[in-house]
């Protein structure tokens, strides 16, 4: 009889947030698939748990997936954990979960802290409707496409970001979205937990050199409702030319201006030639 994959949330800072059920599941499982075995070992040592750890992360997931699946198929129970929070969210664990479902393997949750939901709850930002955007890609093309896609997003947007990339991300978000309300939430559940309510323009000015430390969640207000009937071709042309001045191609500038104004891309493109 096949075993079970347990998808387990681990503390995002304060180890006291680890549930009794999570501790019991670790004690009873056969092995643990961990994003970083060194980080998970500290958690196990804190609760005096001794279990075999298997490394499973972005750069070895393909070679390790079959090994983990075969062990579960042969009757072993595996706990999947990330370094902090719920695995399989902005995490390679998603692919292991999918593979288990495809093979008829039971997947069970052992829920725990989740950074984006926790950050949103204490941010004071509108949370009636929101979208989780994860990390912006470091690949320039993918990053630009992602930013283009969310320019007109009206729901509150949530991003993860590493502290050493914060300044560049704030600049790119400001350039793409204009000035918006933002909450910078850092060091969740730790001693220096902080919510910084500000605007994108002010954040760019305040943190120019990655001078804000800790694990970071960015929560950004959605776009306000467009009033396309008030926008003229002249307005759209000026907007597109501004995008060109900032380094966009004329084609991308016309496309972006069309998205923001509701006017036709072809008309805008002709006007900026």
């Amino acid at each position: 009889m096949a075993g079970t994959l347990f998808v387990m949330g681990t503390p995002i800072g304060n180890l006291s947030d680890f549930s009794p059920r999570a501790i019991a599941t670790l004690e009873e499982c056969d092995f643990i698939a961990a994003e970083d075995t060194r980080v998970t070992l500290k958690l196990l040592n804190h609760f005096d748990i001794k279990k075999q750890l298997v490394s499973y992360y972005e750069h070895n997931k393909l070679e390790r997936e079959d090994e983990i699946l075969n062990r579960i198929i042969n009757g072993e129970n595996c706990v999947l954990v990330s370094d902090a929070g719920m695995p399989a969210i902005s995490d390679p664990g998603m692919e292991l979960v999918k593979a288990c479902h495809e093979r008829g393997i039971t997947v069970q949750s052992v829920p725990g802290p989740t950074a984006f939901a926790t950050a949103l709850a204490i941010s004071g930002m509108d949370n009636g409707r929101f979208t989780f955007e994860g990390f912006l890609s470091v690949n320039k093309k993918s990053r630009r496409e992602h930013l283009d896609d969310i320019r007109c997003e009206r729901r509150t947007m949530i991003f993860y970001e590493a502290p050493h990339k914060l300044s560049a991300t704030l600049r790119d978000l400001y350039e793409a979205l204009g000035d918006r309300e933002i909450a910078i939430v850092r060091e969740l559940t730790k001693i220096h937990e902080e919510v910084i309510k500000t605007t994108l323009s002010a954040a760019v000015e305040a943190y120019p050199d990655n001078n804000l430390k800790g694990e970071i969640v960015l929560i950004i207000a959605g776009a306000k409702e467009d009033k396309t009937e008030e926008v003229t071709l002249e307005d759209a042309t000026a907007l597109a030319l501004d995008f060109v001045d900032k380094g966009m191609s004329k084609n991308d500038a016309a496309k972006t201006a069309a998205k923001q104004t509701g006017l036709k891309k072809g008309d805008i493109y002709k006007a900026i030639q």
Side-chain angles (χ1 to χ4, degrees):
M1 181 176 178
T4 298
L5 177 70
F6 294 91
V7 180
M8 177 180 291
T10 56
I12 54 180
N14 193 324
L15 293 180
S16 298
D17 292 334
F18 208 40
S19 73
R21 181 183 170 216
I23 294 171
T25 302
L26 287 178
E27 290 174 337
E28 295 166 4
C29 76
D30 295 295
F31 69 105
I32 301 167
E35 179 182 5
D36 186 330
T37 56
R38 297 165 298 181
V39 173
T40 302
L41 183 59
K42 292 178 183 177
L43 178 70
L44 296 180
N45 288 340
H46 181 83
F47 292 101
D48 195 27
I49 299 171
K50 300 188 186 307
K51 287 291 171 179
Q52 181 190 11
L53 290 165
V54 175
S55 172
Y56 179 81
Y57 62 102
E58 182 64 32
H59 299 295
N60 77 349
K61 61 186 180 183
L62 295 179
E63 61 191 76
R64 283 292 165 83
E65 184 176 288
D66 286 342
E67 173 191 339
I68 294 169
L69 289 172
N70 286 335
R71 291 183 65 172
I72 298 173
I73 289 169
N74 288 323
E76 294 187 68
N77 292 325
C78 173
V79 172
L80 172 67
V81 297
S82 63
D83 290 349
M86 283 299 291
I89 298 175
S90 281
D91 180 86
M94 173 189 69
E95 296 175 20
L96 181 60
V97 171
K98 182 180 178 181
C100 283
H101 283 298
E102 290 172 348
R103 289 162 177 77
I105 294 170
T106 299
V107 179
Q108 292 188 7
S109 66
V110 185
T114 305
F116 78 82
T118 305
L120 181 61
I122 67 171
S123 70
M125 300 285 283
D126 183 6
N127 61 15
R129 295 181 66 203
F130 61 89
T131 172
F132 176 62
E133 299 292 333
F135 289 93
L136 281 173
S137 174
V138 295
N139 176 275
K140 289 183 178 179
K141 183 175 183 294
S142 297
R143 190 180 183 92
R144 185 173 64 251
E145 289 174 349
H146 190 165
L147 290 169
D148 284 345
D149 284 343
I150 62 171
R151 288 179 196 276
C152 300
E153 175 59 65
R154 294 179 59 190
R155 293 170 294 182
T156 298
M157 293 171 284
I158 307 173
F159 294 86
Y160 285 162
E161 193 49 279
H164 66 281
K165 298 177 183 176
L166 176 64
S167 296
T169 294
L170 289 173
R171 288 193 297 269
D172 288 347
L173 287 167
Y174 178 46
E175 180 177 324
L177 306 178
D179 210 7
R180 304 268 188 96
E181 183 183 8
I182 180 174
I184 303 173
V185 186
R186 70 184 192 97
E187 293 292 83
L188 280 167
T189 77
K190 300 176 186 176
I191 294 174
H192 300 294
E193 178 179 284
E194 183 179 21
V195 178
I196 303 168
K197 294 291 291 292
T198 184
T199 62
L200 275 171
S201 61
V204 168
E205 185 174 347
Y207 310 111
D209 301 307
N210 298 316
N211 50 321
L212 193 61
K213 304 305 178 186
E215 299 302 316
I216 293 168
V217 183
L218 302 175
I219 303 177
I220 303 170
K224 297 187 183 302
E225 185 175 1
D226 288 334
K227 297 181 179 180
T228 56
E229 67 277 9
E230 298 178 1
V231 179
T232 66
L233 179 57
E234 184 179 354
D235 294 329
T237 301
L239 182 62
L241 288 172
D242 184 52
F243 290 142
V244 171
D245 288 341
K246 291 177 180 176
M248 274 193 188
S249 69
K250 288 184 177 180
N251 185 63
D252 285 343
K255 179 180 178 181
T256 303
K259 282 185 179 180
Q260 293 192 17
T261 63
L263 299 180
K264 293 182 179 179
K265 173 191 168 185
D267 292 341
I268 301 171
Y269 185 78
K270 289 178 183 177
I272 63 175
Q273 293 306 306

